[in-house]
Amino acid sequence: HGWEADFWSGYADTILAPPSDPELMPDPGFDDASKWTAITGFTVADSKLSISNPAANASVRIHDDFFPAVDAETAYNFSLEVTSLTSGGNIRIQVNYYDSGGTLLGNSRIPSTSYTVGATGQITASFTTPVSCAMIGVTIYALVTGLVMEMDNISVKAA
């Protein structure tokens, strides 16, 4: 019964494979502009986030109606891909922590207070949610004028 061994070996591999961590961002590919609130200089369209000469402190953030649900006191990994870069500079990625009623509990600036985008590639960081945190908001700020770049594949997953 050689066919049975072949059949069951493939089946067992599928059954025993560990599940991947679910993506928590409601629009990881920037496919739905209605899930984002963008200020002039930031555009969510064509499956990407385009940043084109925004004013300093302009931003784009996940819309309040789409805040991802998270567990309190839990570690998460964040990533965002810079897919095209014409003019780099400093940005801030901020994670805001909210309780189940939507009250702001605090925030973290990841991977640091100011991150210099100088090349294409992944921006990665980790953060831990505080006590009573039930959902998060993610905001990307331009800290300088003159930024021109495109981003895609924003991700938040349990660590």
Side-chain angles (χ1 to χ4, degrees):
H1 300 326
W3 68 270
E4 287 178 337
D6 290 341
F7 173 81
W8 287 113
S9 69
Y11 184 70
D13 289 344
T14 302
I15 295 294
L16 299 176
S20 62
D21 289 324
E23 177 57 57
L24 299 178
M25 289 302 292
D27 186 29
F30 295 102
D31 299 312
D32 186 352
S34 70
K35 293 183 178 173
W36 299 90
T37 301
I39 294 178
T40 302
F42 287 83
T43 306
V44 174
D46 301 322
S47 299
K48 64 188 169 205
L49 168 62
S50 297
I51 303 172
S52 183
N53 201 25
N57 295 313
S59 64
V60 62
R61 66 180 176 84
I62 194 72
H63 191 277
D64 298 5
D65 293 340
F66 300 102
F67 284 166
V70 294
D71 294 322
E73 300 180 281
T74 302
Y76 290 91
N77 292 323
F78 171 89
S79 66
L80 176 64
E81 183 180 2
V82 178
T83 56
S84 172
L85 180 65
T86 301
S87 179
N90 292 355
I91 64 169
R92 173 180 300 138
I93 301 165
Q94 184 167 301
V95 179
N96 292 326
Y97 306 114
Y98 300 91
D99 67 14
S100 60
T103 301
L104 180 64
L105 303 172
N107 64 60
S108 293
R109 295 170 177 177
I110 58 171
S112 62
T113 299
S114 176
Y115 181 83
T116 302
V117 178
T120 58
Q122 291 286 327
I123 299 169
T124 59
S126 60
F127 61 91
T128 300
T129 53
V131 173
S132 302
C133 185
M135 55 189 161
I136 60 169
V138 176
T139 305
I140 301 166
Y141 292 93
L143 296 183
V144 296
T145 60
L147 297 175
V148 179
M149 64 185 77
E150 293 177 349
M151 297 178 164
D152 198 1
N153 305 315
I154 189 169
S155 175
V156 173
K157 293 183 178 185

